[in-house]
Amino acid sequence: MPSQAGELKQQGAAEAARDPNSKVTAADAEQKIVDETKKAGVDAYQFDPNATPEEKASQARSHLAPGVHRERKSKAVGIVTDMDDGTPDQYDLPPPSKAGAVAPSPTTDGETNGANGHMAKDENARWMERAGWAPRFGTPADPEGEGESLLDHQTWIESKLDEKFYGDWYHNTAIIVLACLSSWMVAVLGGGLAWVFIIMAFCGTYYRTSIRRVRRNFRDDVNREMAKTRLETDSETLEWINSFLLKFWPIYAPIISDTVINSVDQILSTATPAFLDSMRMKTFTLGSKPPRLEHVKTYPKTEDDIVLMDWKFSFTPNDVADLTSRQIKNKIQPKVALEVRVGKALVSKGLDIIVEDMAFSGLMRVKVKLQLPPPHVERIDICFLERPTIDYVCKPLGGDMFGFDINFIPLLQSFIMEQIHGNLEPIMYNPNVFPIEVAKMLAGNPVDQAIGVLAVTIHGAQGLKNPDKFSGSPDPYTTISLNNREALAKTKTVKENANPRWNETKFVIVTNLQDSLTLPVNDFNEYRKDKHLGTATFALEQLEQDPEHENLQLEVMANGKPRGIVQADVRFFQVLAGRKLDDGTEEAAPESNTGIARFTVEQAKELDGSKSFIGQLNPYGVLLLNGKEIHITKKLKRTNQPIWPDGSKEILITDRKSARLGLVIKDDRDMAADPILGTYQIKLDDMLRLMEKGQEWYNLAGTQSGRAKLTVQWKPVALKGGIGGSGGYVKPIGVMRLHFQNARELRNLETMGKSDPYVRVLLSGIETARTVTFQNNLNPDWDEVIYVPMHSTREKLTLEVMDQENLGKDRSLGLIEVAASDYIRQTENGEHVATGERQQLSDGLRLNGKGSPRGKLNYTVSFYPCLNVADPEEEEQEKKEQEEAAKVTDEKDAVDVDNERKESAGKVDTNLASQLAQSEDRQLDVNGEQNQPKLHLKPDDLIKYKSGLIVFKLIEGDMTHSNCQVEVLIDDMLFPSYISSKARSRHTKFDEVGDTFVRELDVSQITLRLRQKSDSRGDDKPDYTLAKLTGNTLDTLKQGLYTPTVLSLRDNEGGVSKVKVSLRYIPVDMQLDPAESVDNQGILHVDVLDAADLPAADRNGKSDPYCKFELNGKEVHKTERQMKTLHPAWNEFFETAVSSRIAAKFTVQVYDYDFGGSPDFLGAADINLELLEPLLASEYKLNLDGKSGTIRLRLVFKPGYVTRSRQGTTTFQGTFAKPGKLVTGVAGAPIKGVGMVGGGVVKGASFMKHGFRSKKKGDKGEGSVGSVGTFDSEEITNGESFGTPTRSSVVNGDSPQTPGSTPTHNRTRSFGGRSASGGFGGTPSGPETGNASFTIVSASGYPPGTHVRVHVKQMAAKGEKAKEVHKSKAIKLSSGPVQWEHETFKVNCTADTQFQIQVKDHSTFSSDDLGEGILFVDDSGAGGEKTIKAGSGSVVIRSGFTAADTGSARDSPRSSSGARRSFLSKRETRDRAVTPS
């Protein structure tokens, strides 16, 4: 009993370690366990807890037998690209065409019978000849009696005779006697053999029928008896496999240990709770008893391609009932020892914990899905039919916890079990299944499993050292591989240089990001094996956090020593895939012009054998991309029907529209040049469309006979930067208009408060647009319209309502799917048409599209097509192809003329002419489809098409900052339409294309900005904007239409960033809704003049009246009260932003002020803003709905874009402007410049406004508070010419006159009111002047103990000294921020004045500078707060600007003495005295 003794020794050592009075330590107990385990012949591993997972894996691997552990083969593959290298085509092929494609021939049942009409029949005959049948699912069913056995089949006699006349013993006896008597009678009567055979046939038939009944009754009786004892759970035993596992387990257990050791430490480190310092593995042994399969139950009545089984399994090491006595002696329990370190850093203690007596059992359902192609198993689905039984014992080895099982702690074990089941249930508890994609795992094609493309740019190396000191300078080159396996790509060799410069970019398809990118550097040797200098390594896991890593300095290591540095860039571009549906199918991937193509030539048939002397060819294929060789197949011997096993090549496509795929088939001649047997060339786009129709065979050109089977596999990839090029943009077919009205009864995911919902639109899984957020609201009224460009009828839109989170990712509240095919219609000639009426929809929101709906989203959907606009680049390409085709035709004509001359001389050579004729007939595409007329746009024609898509190409940028991105905004959009990739360096080549929708081109404004980080919340806090440029969209489009144009963006420090762009315009066939027009939104100027005949509310017969104005249920202004009068004259004015005149509910209410009590209502009146003419002052005398009284108002509406902001209350201060106050600029500061932006994701335009809801009496919808854009044009460069734009009013012209007389009394400005343009109706000749107010609020981030004092200086003109306008009190900083009270002052200045903020450490005799920053005045009138970065800390300052009252309200706010300078032009001016219809 040596093993039982060893087990007792282990238990004794563990118990002694738990005894606080014992000298046995935990380490001693662990060592004893390991020693006894090894004595029993079972592997056990003990590690240093501080060892790395690689070191532990290496230690475990050293115990494996040689050859047991085999490296996993990488599915990565190096690929070529279609990027032009400037070299000419290597083959002179006919122009690309799809005319040579062989159409499938239909069969009698209407289905195609192979790609060329014969393949399916030939293939079936081959299988019949070789195997007897072709691969199929199940056995062909008998249409007359499917599933009937011979016993169940009813004969004619059975159908005519009743069962009482056959089947018993006496019936059989009677028929035998009858047969004998009948035969005797025939013999007596002299009958022949014919009568005897008739009698035999009759009696035999009867006897067979009778015996069949006997057998059937017997079968039924047996089945009935068996059914009495058989249970539903009857199953088969698996003792044979359990016996196999007993012998196989000692071999395979180390492999499992190796796998566990490779990953367990990483899992423990990421799952360590916050109260523990670390968890590390110290001891690990799996034990000697393998898992056991108890029984299996099979369900035979399933589909032919489904195998369904229930497996009962268990892993119970303590159960010895199935072990032999020898196995019991040597049995070792599995044990895992962990070191758990409690505390932090130095103040921590390691606690060793042992987990033993583990047990696990359960009932698992296994579903195997079969398929015809290898490996013949497509997928295995696994799930537990019930909760599995899990048990374990967890004890500490030390004496701190007295050695008891911690699961005895009340409620702890049940809590742990619930956590385990809670995590496993959504993964693999019935009905959820855990899929194992066997076909994909075993697939040899890396494109099937590709998750993306790796772009590795190897710039060079520095300080390469040759390990052989006598070898001289190396001739280095480097290869690219994963985990030091086979080389996927190789650079050129640089002769005798330890600091080589390669500057090469290689592309690799990757299937996971768990591997390491390895760059082995080698020294080239001409006559002997290349010498390995070292390897640089980069972990691909880093790409999950940041897909782009530039300027990497990777150390070259060899034998643990540094051998130099490799300089490289690594970028990862993800494959775009459709969402997987519940039935296992996948949605169509989003349309993209960039991606991975796998081009394959599978086989060829009927090659022209006349080109060989023996009639048998040695063919091989050459695959071409844009006329250049990319792959050569194997050379087959003596066959005219070749099937190539290696005819595939992976390609990175950067422009699918222009990519040309070609094939050249040659005959291998050993000594002579290889003749061409046939060629073919086709565009990638055409080939993909033909494959959708099942056409895979193509007639070869330049030969009398022959056809080849060509296929291409496509996966879109989102390429960015200089790699993607303009090919990444797919021309849209139209735009989908989505009007999000509101949502009702949304889910509440917050424990405190309510959800903060917004709607985002995803196109094939990629976010393209979103609405603003409504804070703390489960019934939001967005009332927003979003336009999304559509590229195909196969696309799907996902409308997902999200809950915005301050920390962490936003959470889904439910989604709705919209199929583009439901709204996009086509005419017979392929032209897309608008949907007509907007369909009102109200759908329930489901989480992940599943489960019961909770909440409803109300919205409308409509589609508007794009006009067919000519693209100069495409026309130039078509012209080039036509010239090539004409060249082929001219050559054919020349040959015809030459042959005519030869014919007249009696010698005719028609071979060349016939080949050219065949080449022309097969390669020149005769397209019978009706081509839609194309629209050629010129700059002067743009104004005719007000609505459309602006397509912009970001070419390159020269910025003052690195690590920034370019963003594009249009009109009143809160979020960018396009975001470029990160510019890692100051000079970046973008080569990115995006688009944005414009509603009214003639009044549209475009904004480009340079930002460090995207604003996902919409509040622009903190402000990451580095530079900005805003101007007129029409003039910008005219300037950059099909022409590269340089835009200059200035930042606050005077730096200039330049972005080169090129623009296109695609008009959209639609009529804009009047509610979406710029004339429906803007600034409302209200003059509160006076009132008359108000009712008396006080005892003295008078009232103390004041007015309160409400817009959409929110108070926007309250006047001063007039004491003791029934005819008050307020003479005040205010301005407020109106997001929609059509839907606005604007009211005025008059109250009587009562000191110490609630005010008395005197009357109210509704004001219809739809009646206002833009820019014209209108005076109204409104009757109040009280007892009596009228009020007189003067209203002027100035159209302009109002940018929506987040709605509702929030806990963040300073996020929103106060209702009713005009907000200009961005983040409260004057706009100093606008930057143009690009991005990898094409976004639809979002236009945020109210204006689509019908007005109701009690409507309390939230008003739109935001910013009205005022624009400062900046310098814009086109070539070498520079403009000098100036600030001016929007429109030129005379001011409209206000009807009626003007009161003679003086006007007083109401509190907080202000004008939009320096006094409403003035004629500004420069920046508006007024008073800036400042309040120093707080400061933080400075060293404790400093006496913080803030100095404010007003920046003067160039050459003049800045003037100090204020310095605060000095406050000592102890802990937390410094707070000032009543630190307020005012300065007389202009709206664009800059102020310098200096923070100093004040002392009696000197002051130390702590930092400084720049401040612009917040001229919004709302008193916005700003955080100014100054040194190591920051200062919070509240600022506001009040413009001087320079004119009467009768003047037009758009009047100006000077012309407005356009965005890009130098001389063009533009007048717009009236708003567009």
Side-chain angles (χ1 to χ4, degrees):
M1 305 286 287
S3 179
Q4 292 183 356
E7 189 83 15
L8 293 175
K9 292 179 181 179
Q10 295 180 42
Q11 294 179 3
E15 293 295 335
R18 298 189 189 102
D19 188 359
N21 299 321
S22 175
K23 296 182 180 180
V24 180
T25 64
D28 296 336
E30 291 171 4
Q31 187 62 42
K32 189 65 176 178
I33 292 173
V34 172
D35 294 340
E36 293 298 328
T37 301
K38 290 182 177 179
K39 288 180 182 179
V42 180
D43 287 313
Y45 305 101
Q46 190 172 22
F47 314 102
D48 179 5
N50 296 320
T52 64
E54 290 78 9
E55 294 172 343
K56 295 180 180 180
S58 177
Q59 181 182 347
R61 198 176 293 112
S62 64
H63 290 76
L64 300 179
V68 172
H69 189 81
R70 187 172 62 183
E71 291 289 341
R72 177 176 57 89
K73 186 176 179 181
S74 173
K75 293 292 179 62
V77 62
I79 55 177
V80 297
T81 178
D82 64 341
M83 289 189 287
D84 189 9
D85 56 1
T87 59
D89 291 0
Q90 295 175 329
Y91 291 86
D92 186 15
L93 299 181
S97 170
K98 56 184 178 180
V102 181
S105 59
T107 59
T108 55
D109 57 359
E111 296 181 357
T112 58
N113 197 11
N116 63 349
H118 304 286
M119 288 302 298
K121 183 177 179 181
D122 296 344
E123 194 75 9
N124 187 65
R126 187 176 72 90
W127 281 108
M128 292 295 294
E129 179 182 356
R130 296 189 177 191
W133 70 85
R136 66 193 182 204
F137 292 122
T139 304
D142 182 6
E144 296 182 358
E146 182 177 357
E148 280 191 353
S149 65
L150 292 177
L151 291 177
D152 296 324
H153 183 68
Q154 190 177 39
T155 63
W156 180 82
I157 295 180
E158 286 181 282
S159 62
K160 300 300 181 182
L161 289 179
D162 192 80
E163 286 191 357
K164 64 184 179 179
F165 295 114
Y166 63 90
D168 287 331
W169 65 270
Y170 48 85
H171 292 144
N172 298 334
T173 303
I175 198 64
I176 293 173
V177 173
L178 177 63
C180 295
L181 293 177
S182 301
S183 301
W184 176 78
M185 184 65 67
V186 169
V188 170
L189 297 177
L193 290 175
W195 287 100
V196 175
F197 283 122
I198 292 174
I199 295 172
M200 291 173 61
F202 174 77
C203 296
T205 304
Y206 178 86
Y207 182 77
R208 174 176 176 269
T209 303
S210 181
I211 289 299
R212 279 163 47 82
R213 184 191 174 196
V214 172
R215 291 177 179 176
R216 186 165 58 245
N217 293 339
F218 177 76
R219 182 192 64 181
D220 294 340
D221 293 341
V222 171
N223 289 337
R224 195 161 39 248
E225 291 299 323
M226 292 180 64
K228 294 179 180 179
T229 57
R230 184 174 57 205
L231 298 176
E232 187 66 25
T233 57
D234 273 3
S235 56
E236 305 175 45
T237 61
L238 292 172
E239 290 304 322
W240 66 271
I241 198 170
N242 292 324
S243 177
F244 168 77
L245 284 175
L246 281 173
K247 297 183 178 181
F248 183 68
W249 187 250
I251 301 173
Y252 194 60
I255 308 295
I256 298 179
S257 300
D258 182 31
T259 305
V260 172
I261 293 166
N262 277 326
S263 57
V264 68
D265 258 9
Q266 182 180 0
I267 296 174
L268 289 175
S269 62
T270 57
T272 303
F275 60 87
L276 297 179
D277 186 53
S278 65
M279 291 197 309
R280 308 298 296 266
M281 177 178 288
K282 293 183 66 176
T283 305
F284 183 79
T285 178
L286 289 174
S288 58
K289 182 181 178 182
R292 177 180 174 82
L293 295 177
E294 303 292 346
H295 59 75
V296 61
K297 180 182 178 182
T298 305
Y299 297 89
K301 294 184 178 180
T302 58
E303 294 83 358
D304 290 336
D305 59 342
I306 296 295
V307 178
L308 191 63
M309 297 176 288
D310 291 344
W311 288 12
K312 175 70 174 178
F313 71 96
S314 63
F315 180 68
T316 54
N318 291 328
D319 186 7
V320 297
D322 56 340
L323 299 182
T324 64
S325 58
R326 181 180 178 182
Q327 292 169 346
I328 294 175
K329 291 180 181 179
N330 297 319
K331 185 180 73 70
I332 295 296
Q333 294 283 67
K335 295 183 178 67
V336 178
L338 304 176
E339 182 191 62
V340 178
R341 186 163 292 274
V342 181
K344 293 294 180 182
L346 297 177
V347 188
S348 62
K349 177 176 177 57
L351 179 65
D352 294 334
I353 297 177
I354 186 169
V355 180
E356 59 184 358
D357 294 341
M358 294 170 285
F360 187 83
S361 63
L363 181 61
M364 179 177 290
R365 171 157 292 178
V366 180
K367 180 181 178 182
V368 182
K369 178 74 166 61
L370 305 178
Q371 66 178 17
L372 291 180
H376 307 300
V377 176
E378 178 184 351
R379 188 179 68 252
I380 299 177
D381 293 335
I382 299 175
C383 70
F384 285 104
L385 296 179
E386 57 190 21
R387 284 190 171 189
T389 302
I390 304 173
D391 192 19
Y392 64 94
V393 173
C394 183
K395 299 179 181 179
L397 290 178
D400 293 342
M401 299 294 294
F402 306 104
F404 67 94
D405 185 359
I406 61 174
N407 285 325
F408 290 154
I409 299 176
L411 303 180
L412 180 60
Q413 184 177 15
S414 60
F415 171 76
I416 294 176
M417 288 295 103
E418 288 300 324
Q419 290 296 316
I420 294 174
H421 293 310
N423 290 325
L424 290 178
E425 184 171 3
I427 300 176
M428 55 189 316
Y429 285 3
N430 193 44
N432 303 314
V433 296
F434 181 76
I436 302 176
E437 301 288 349
V438 179
K440 292 184 178 180
M441 292 171 61
L442 301 179
N445 181 5
V447 176
D448 292 332
Q449 298 177 259
I451 63 171
V453 175
L454 206 62
V456 183
T457 301
I458 306 176
H459 298 294
Q462 291 288 332
L464 294 179
K465 298 177 182 179
N466 200 323
D468 190 352
K469 297 182 179 179
F470 303 100
S471 298
S473 298
D475 302 331
Y477 68 90
T478 185
T479 59
I480 297 176
S481 60
L482 294 183
N483 298 334
N484 274 323
R485 300 188 186 116
E486 67 274 10
L488 305 175
K490 178 183 176 182
T491 66
K492 61 185 178 183
T493 301
V494 180
K495 296 293 184 179
E496 297 184 356
N497 195 337
N499 302 301
R501 304 301 298 173
W502 291 296
N503 292 324
E504 297 183 24
T505 300
K506 306 295 181 181
F507 302 95
V508 177
I509 295 177
V510 292
T511 57
N512 64 79
L513 295 179
Q514 308 305 317
D515 297 324
S516 293
L517 174 69
T518 49
L519 305 175
V521 182
N522 301 303
D523 177 19
F524 173 76
N525 291 301
E526 188 173 358
Y527 302 106
R528 62 182 188 273
K529 185 179 179 180
D530 297 345
K531 186 182 299 181
H532 181 64
L533 301 181
T535 302
T537 305
F538 176 81
L540 297 183
E541 293 178 348
Q542 304 176 52
L543 298 173
E544 295 179 354
Q545 302 296 329
D546 186 0
E548 297 185 8
H549 291 260
E550 297 188 356
N551 301 321
L552 295 174
Q553 305 292 321
L554 304 176
E555 195 169 28
V556 180
M557 301 294 294
N559 298 324
K561 298 180 180 179
R563 296 291 182 183
I565 291 176
V566 171
Q567 301 159 342
D569 300 338
V570 180
R571 287 173 287 176
F572 176 69
F573 305 105
Q574 188 175 4
V575 165
L576 304 176
R579 189 171 59 88
K580 193 169 185 179
L581 303 178
D582 295 337
D583 57 359
T585 60
E586 289 188 359
E587 293 180 346
E591 294 289 332
S592 175
N593 240 12
T594 58
I596 307 170
R598 188 172 193 262
F599 183 32
T600 303
V601 52
E602 293 186 7
Q603 57 180 311
K605 283 186 174 293
E606 303 172 4
L607 295 180
D608 187 6
S610 63
K611 296 187 178 182
S612 174
F613 294 108
I614 60 175
Q616 295 290 319
L617 303 170
N618 301 327
Y620 67 93
V622 180
L623 300 183
L624 307 177
L625 174 62
N626 294 337
K628 300 178 181 61
E629 286 187 6
I630 58 174
H631 182 65
I632 298 177
T633 68
K634 289 183 178 180
K635 299 174 181 179
L636 306 182
K637 298 296 183 180
R638 293 181 176 272
T639 177
N640 295 348
Q641 318 285 336
I643 299 177
W644 290 288
D646 62 337
S648 298
K649 185 62 179 177
E650 291 77 15
I651 315 166
L652 179 66
I653 300 296
T654 61
D655 189 355
R656 197 178 81 179
K657 294 183 295 184
S658 60
R660 294 175 286 120
L661 301 178
L663 170 67
V664 175
I665 299 180
K666 294 183 178 182
D667 183 24
D668 180 33
R669 304 285 174 89
D670 293 332
M671 304 302 294
D674 298 343
I676 295 177
L677 302 178
T679 62
Y680 198 79
Q681 186 173 215
I682 186 174
K683 283 190 174 182
L684 175 58
D685 258 350
D686 294 337
M687 192 171 181
L688 289 172
R689 283 194 288 267
L690 290 173
M691 285 198 63
E692 293 178 357
K693 302 176 183 178
Q695 295 176 257
E696 299 176 346
W697 285 86
Y698 301 87
N699 290 323
L700 299 176
T703 181
Q704 295 180 359
S705 65
R707 62 183 187 272
K709 184 178 182 181
L710 304 176
T711 60
V712 64
Q713 184 180 357
W714 175 257
K715 273 199 173 184
V717 177
L719 297 182
K720 283 187 178 182
I723 297 177
S726 59
Y729 180 75
V730 179
K731 184 178 178 181
I733 60 175
V735 293
M736 196 77 80
R737 180 186 184 272
L738 302 169
H739 176 204
F740 296 107
Q741 298 162 330
N742 54 55
R744 294 293 179 262
E745 299 179 0
L746 295 177
R747 289 179 173 86
N748 189 11
L749 303 181
E750 304 291 342
T751 55
M752 297 181 62
K754 300 177 182 178
S755 298
D756 306 325
Y758 67 90
V759 183
R760 66 172 182 172
V761 181
L762 295 95
L763 178 60
S764 299
I766 300 175
E767 183 176 334
T768 59
R770 56 162 292 181
T771 68
V772 297
T773 303
F774 270 59
Q775 299 280 343
N776 199 32
N777 196 333
L778 299 181
N779 298 286
D781 294 305
W782 291 293
D783 205 6
E784 294 190 34
V785 175
I786 287 176
Y787 291 88
V788 180
M790 305 299 295
H791 311 89
S792 169
T793 56
R794 298 190 302 270
E795 292 178 323
K796 280 190 176 182
L797 293 175
T798 301
L799 316 180
E800 188 171 17
V801 181
M802 303 292 292
D803 176 24
Q804 183 169 288
E805 295 294 321
N806 296 327
L807 299 174
K809 294 183 179 180
D810 297 348
R811 297 176 292 182
S812 175
L813 301 178
L815 58 85
I816 298 168
E817 290 186 344
V818 177
S821 57
D822 295 340
Y823 303 94
I824 301 178
R825 302 286 184 268
Q826 279 184 287
T827 59
E828 294 181 355
N829 63 349
E831 183 179 358
H832 295 90
V833 295
T835 54
E837 295 183 0
R838 297 166 185 164
Q839 301 186 29
Q840 178 68 45
L841 301 172
S842 179
D843 295 330
L845 298 168
R846 303 174 187 268
L847 288 177
N848 299 320
K850 304 176 183 177
S852 59
R854 175 70 182 275
K856 281 194 175 183
L857 178 65
N858 299 312
Y859 62 102
T860 65
V861 181
S862 54
F863 173 78
Y864 299 99
C866 292
L867 299 182
N868 191 17
V869 180
D871 187 349
E873 295 181 1
E874 293 180 357
E875 289 187 337
E876 184 178 353
Q877 181 68 21
E878 291 176 359
K879 183 179 179 182
K880 184 178 178 181
E881 293 176 0
Q882 291 174 1
E883 290 176 354
E884 293 178 355
K887 183 179 178 181
V888 174
T889 305
D890 293 340
E891 291 178 359
K892 189 201 73 167
D893 294 340
V895 173
D896 291 340
V897 173
D898 185 56
N899 286 336
E900 289 178 2
R901 293 174 181 175
K902 292 180 180 180
E903 185 179 2
S904 61
K907 296 180 179 180
V908 180
D909 183 11
T910 60
N911 185 32
L912 181 59
S914 62
Q915 288 187 11
L916 289 175
Q918 285 182 344
S919 174
E920 180 189 21
D921 293 340
R922 293 177 179 177
Q923 288 282 282
L924 294 182
D925 189 7
V926 181
N927 190 358
E929 296 180 1
Q930 301 181 12
N931 293 324
Q932 302 177 19
K934 291 187 176 181
L935 177 66
H936 291 78
L937 282 180
K938 297 180 179 179
D940 295 337
D941 300 331
L942 296 175
I943 193 64
K944 301 177 183 178
Y945 307 96
K946 293 187 176 181
S947 300
L949 287 164
I950 294 181
V951 181
F952 43 83
K953 178 181 179 181
L954 295 182
I955 303 173
E956 60 183 2
D958 192 0
M959 282 84 68
T960 57
H961 300 78
S962 59
N963 293 319
C964 58
Q965 61 194 24
V966 187
E967 297 180 355
V968 179
L969 295 94
I970 288 289
D971 301 334
D972 53 0
M973 295 168 55
L974 180 62
F975 297 99
S977 298
Y978 191 76
I979 303 175
S980 76
S981 57
K982 278 274 188 179
R984 302 293 180 181
S985 59
R986 295 189 176 184
H987 182 76
T988 301
K989 184 177 180 181
F990 290 106
D991 278 341
E992 299 177 5
V993 182
D995 56 18
T996 184
F997 185 78
V998 178
R999 290 170 297 173
E1000 295 175 289
L1001 183 61
D1002 55 339
V1003 294
S1004 174
Q1005 297 286 333
I1006 188 171
T1007 299
L1008 288 84
R1009 65 187 183 190
L1010 213 61
R1011 289 176 62 89
Q1012 291 178 322
K1013 187 177 179 182
S1014 299
D1015 175 26
S1016 60
R1017 295 173 54 82
D1019 55 7
D1020 209 23
K1021 285 194 174 185
D1023 188 6
Y1024 294 103
T1025 304
L1026 302 175
K1028 182 177 288 190
L1029 182 65
T1030 299
N1032 184 273
T1033 304
L1034 179 60
D1035 294 325
T1036 306
L1037 190 55
K1038 287 181 179 179
Q1039 188 77 6
L1041 190 65
Y1042 307 122
T1043 304
T1045 303
V1046 177
L1047 307 179
S1048 298
L1049 296 75
R1050 292 188 182 273
D1051 54 29
N1052 294 337
E1053 299 175 356
V1056 178
S1057 300
K1058 297 183 179 180
V1059 179
K1060 181 183 287 188
V1061 300
S1062 177
L1063 304 176
R1064 289 171 49 198
Y1065 187 64
I1066 304 177
V1068 174
D1069 186 12
M1070 65 174 295
Q1071 290 293 330
L1072 189 68
D1073 193 304
E1076 297 180 64
S1077 173
V1078 69
D1079 292 331
N1080 189 45
Q1081 55 182 308
I1083 301 301
L1084 177 64
H1085 179 92
V1086 181
D1087 285 313
V1088 188
L1089 302 178
D1090 51 34
D1093 301 327
L1094 295 179
D1098 297 337
R1099 296 180 180 178
N1100 56 7
K1102 304 290 184 181
S1103 295
D1104 304 327
Y1106 69 91
C1107 298
K1108 185 169 68 172
F1109 291 84
E1110 290 185 355
L1111 178 62
N1112 296 328
K1114 285 190 172 183
E1115 181 181 328
V1116 295
H1117 181 70
K1118 185 167 67 174
T1119 66
E1120 296 291 334
R1121 60 180 180 272
Q1122 302 292 321
M1123 305 302 293
K1124 298 180 181 180
T1125 178
L1126 300 181
H1127 304 277
W1130 291 284
N1131 294 323
E1132 297 182 14
F1133 74 92
F1134 68 94
E1135 293 175 348
T1136 184
V1138 178
S1139 59
S1140 173
R1141 285 196 296 155
I1142 296 177
K1145 188 177 188 301
F1146 191 46
T1147 60
V1148 55
Q1149 300 172 1
V1150 183
Y1151 291 91
D1152 170 56
Y1153 174 77
D1154 285 338
F1155 180 77
S1158 59
D1160 298 325
F1161 178 75
L1162 300 181
D1166 291 333
I1167 306 171
N1168 189 355
L1169 300 183
E1170 294 184 58
L1171 303 177
L1172 297 178
E1173 289 293 332
L1175 305 178
L1176 294 179
S1178 302
E1179 187 173 305
Y1180 293 92
K1181 190 173 183 181
L1182 305 174
N1183 294 321
L1184 301 178
D1185 59 0
K1187 296 180 180 179
S1188 62
T1190 58
I1191 186 171
R1192 194 161 59 97
L1193 307 174
R1194 183 184 296 114
L1195 307 175
V1196 181
F1197 182 76
K1198 181 177 69 174
Y1201 289 115
V1202 179
T1203 303
R1204 284 283 296 272
S1205 64
R1206 291 187 300 161
Q1207 301 295 304
T1209 58
T1210 176
T1211 57
F1212 295 93
Q1213 298 297 326
T1215 302
F1216 305 105
K1218 191 178 297 184
K1221 302 299 184 260
L1222 182 65
V1223 182
T1224 62
V1226 175
I1231 298 175
K1232 305 305 294 180
V1234 177
M1236 195 157 200
V1237 191
V1241 178
V1242 178
K1243 294 194 174 185
S1246 171
F1247 303 106
M1248 301 149 213
K1249 63 184 65 61
H1250 283 268
F1252 305 92
R1253 295 177 298 165
S1254 59
K1255 294 187 294 182
K1256 297 181 180 179
K1257 192 73 177 177
D1259 190 358
K1260 295 295 181 181
E1262 296 180 352
S1264 173
V1265 181
S1267 62
V1268 176
T1270 61
F1271 307 97
D1272 291 349
S1273 299
E1274 289 296 334
E1275 181 180 88
I1276 301 166
T1277 310
N1278 183 11
E1280 297 181 353
S1281 61
F1282 292 86
T1284 313
T1286 58
R1287 180 193 291 267
S1288 61
S1289 62
V1290 178
V1291 176
N1292 302 321
D1294 298 332
S1295 304
Q1297 297 298 321
T1298 305
S1301 59
T1302 304
T1304 57
H1305 46 258
N1306 295 327
R1307 293 165 47 87
T1308 59
R1309 186 177 182 122
S1310 63
F1311 177 77
R1314 72 169 201 81
S1315 171
S1317 55
F1320 187 81
T1323 308
S1325 58
E1328 56 186 359
T1329 60
N1331 292 323
S1333 61
F1334 299 87
T1335 300
I1336 303 176
V1337 180
S1338 63
S1340 59
Y1342 296 104
T1346 56
H1347 294 75
V1348 181
R1349 169 173 280 181
V1350 179
H1351 297 253
V1352 181
K1353 293 184 178 181
Q1354 182 176 354
M1355 305 297 289
K1358 188 174 181 180
E1360 297 182 8
K1361 188 176 181 181
K1363 174 185 177 183
E1364 183 174 286
V1365 295
H1366 183 76
K1367 61 181 178 181
S1368 69
K1369 299 177 182 177
I1371 301 179
K1372 184 178 180 180
L1373 181 65
S1374 56
S1375 62
V1378 174
Q1379 301 284 346
W1380 281 278
E1381 295 183 2
H1382 310 296
E1383 198 73 34
T1384 302
F1385 60 98
K1386 292 185 178 182
V1387 180
N1388 188 13
C1389 62
T1390 59
D1392 58 351
T1393 303
Q1394 296 185 21
F1395 290 86
Q1396 183 183 36
I1397 307 299
Q1398 291 183 339
V1399 183
K1400 297 184 179 182
D1401 182 10
H1402 176 71
S1403 63
T1404 306
F1405 301 101
S1406 64
S1407 296
D1408 297 327
D1409 290 335
L1410 299 177
E1412 63 181 33
I1414 298 297
L1415 169 67
F1416 285 92
V1417 183
D1418 187 339
D1419 62 344
S1420 65
E1425 290 184 358
K1426 292 185 180 180
T1427 301
I1428 310 299
K1429 184 70 176 177
S1432 62
S1434 59
V1435 181
V1436 178
I1437 296 179
R1438 184 184 300 115
S1439 64
F1441 183 80
T1442 304
D1445 191 1
T1446 59
S1448 172
R1450 299 180 181 184
D1451 298 332
S1452 168
R1454 294 194 177 191
S1455 62
S1456 175
S1457 59
R1460 171 178 174 81
R1461 183 61 56 94
S1462 66
F1463 184 27
L1464 290 175
S1465 63
K1466 295 180 294 182
R1467 295 180 298 272
E1468 290 185 13
T1469 59
R1470 177 174 166 275
D1471 296 339
R1472 185 170 180 267
V1474 295
T1475 56
S1477 58

